[in-house]
Amino acid sequence: MKYFINFLLSLIYKEKCCICGIDLSCAKSEKILCKNCLKTVEILSGFAQTKINGVEIFSACIYNGIVRTLIHKLKFQHNKNIARVLAKILTDFFDKILVNNSLDILYVKTPKTVAVVPIPTNRKNVQIRGYNNVYEIAKEFAEINGFILKNDILIKIKNTKPQFELKKNQRKSNVSGCFKVDLKNYHNETILLIDDIITTGATLNEAITTFQAAGINNIVCITVSKAV
């Protein structure tokens, strides 16, 4: 009965690709993104692009084109289903990292040794959207790869202004002291820190610094995109 109802709904409310608008009922798709659009997403090589406090930072894509549109639709247009597509892009990139053996900290041996940790956001943002967009990406990524998702290790304790609204020299002070680590929820896993975009690196720097101050140093950071 549930399948029949969903089928009827799909006939009435045809799902369309969120990028090109093609009818997804007659196109190979990921439910919200057609295969043709997905193929145009350029995934970067599986090597770290930079380091923050000795932690390697990997970014899957450049923040432009389809990836930028997907992130915006998830973040500002409440299209929560996009998180699954971004998680699959992140997974393809993660596979590249492992193939290239690019990680200095290759604790990624079994899923149980890895804790996927999303960058927390302000409570106000969660209330407005109904969800944390980065958490949704991290949740899907963890599910696809069989990793543990831990949203209770890195905690945001201070509301901050949106980083994209600030000048470069204001961003570090904006996020200073905004996180804390709850060690009772940490059990010696490798922290796989997830964010949607890295621009100046101020937020990731604060998160990494907070982890290291708590004595946690086995950290790897992967973002969906990076600004140029």
Side-chain angles (χ1 to χ4, degrees):
M1 178 61 71
K2 183 178 179 181
Y3 173 81
F4 180 68
I5 292 172
N6 288 337
F7 175 72
L8 288 178
L9 289 173
S10 70
L11 293 178
I12 298 170
Y13 304 103
K14 289 185 177 179
E15 292 180 326
K16 295 182 179 181
C17 174
C18 67
I19 300 297
C20 69
I22 191 173
D23 181 2
L24 295 182
S25 63
C26 59
K28 293 181 178 180
S29 70
E30 293 288 348
K31 292 189 178 180
I32 60 168
L33 185 70
C34 71
K35 290 288 187 181
N36 287 336
C37 285
L38 187 59
K39 285 179 182 177
T40 66
V41 175
E42 183 178 352
I43 298 177
L44 301 176
S45 61
F47 296 95
Q49 289 93 356
T50 188
K51 284 188 177 184
I52 296 176
N53 290 348
V55 173
E56 292 184 306
I57 312 296
F58 299 82
S59 296
C61 306
I62 301 297
Y63 182 64
N64 61 16
I66 287 177
V67 170
R68 184 179 186 275
T69 300
L70 290 173
I71 289 173
H72 270 243
K73 284 181 179 291
L74 173 63
K75 195 169 186 176
F76 301 115
Q77 297 181 22
H78 310 289
N79 195 336
K80 191 175 175 181
N81 293 329
I82 286 175
R84 185 76 176 179
V85 175
L86 293 175
K88 288 185 176 181
I89 291 171
L90 212 54
T91 295
D92 289 344
F93 177 65
F94 187 68
D95 290 341
K96 280 190 173 185
I97 295 174
L98 297 183
V99 167
N100 289 335
N101 197 24
S102 302
L103 292 177
D104 287 341
I105 310 174
L106 259 181
Y107 294 105
V108 190
K109 296 177 181 177
T110 63
K112 291 183 179 180
T113 66
V114 179
V116 174
V117 177
I119 289 289
T121 190
N122 293 341
R123 290 181 181 178
K124 184 179 178 181
N125 292 338
V126 175
Q127 290 172 348
I128 292 171
R129 296 188 193 115
Y131 58 89
N132 173 1
N133 54 300
V134 177
Y135 169 82
E136 294 300 324
I137 296 170
K139 180 180 73 173
E140 296 289 349
F141 176 79
E143 182 180 302
I144 291 169
N145 293 281
F147 293 142
I148 302 166
L149 176 69
K150 287 203 172 182
N151 197 36
D152 54 3
I153 297 178
L154 186 66
I155 312 296
K156 193 157 193 180
I157 57 174
K158 184 179 79 173
N159 281 337
T160 56
K161 294 179 181 178
Q163 291 287 76
F164 67 86
E165 294 180 358
L166 302 175
K167 294 179 180 179
K168 185 176 181 180
N169 61 355
Q170 297 174 314
R171 295 187 177 192
K172 186 174 181 179
S173 60
N174 181 51
V175 295
S176 179
C178 72
F179 299 125
K180 76 171 184 179
V181 169
D182 192 340
L183 285 173
K184 74 175 183 291
N185 297 314
Y186 176 68
H187 304 292
N188 297 316
E189 303 98 338
T190 292
I191 299 297
L192 194 53
L193 196 58
I194 302 292
D195 205 356
D196 57 350
I197 178 172
I198 177 173
T199 307
T200 64
T203 302
L204 291 179
N205 179 76
E206 185 64 26
I208 290 166
T209 300
T210 304
F211 274 122
Q212 291 175 337
I216 300 173
N217 295 292
N218 50 327
I219 309 164
V220 177
C221 181
I222 304 181
T223 72
V224 176
S225 65
K226 67 171 185 174
V228 291

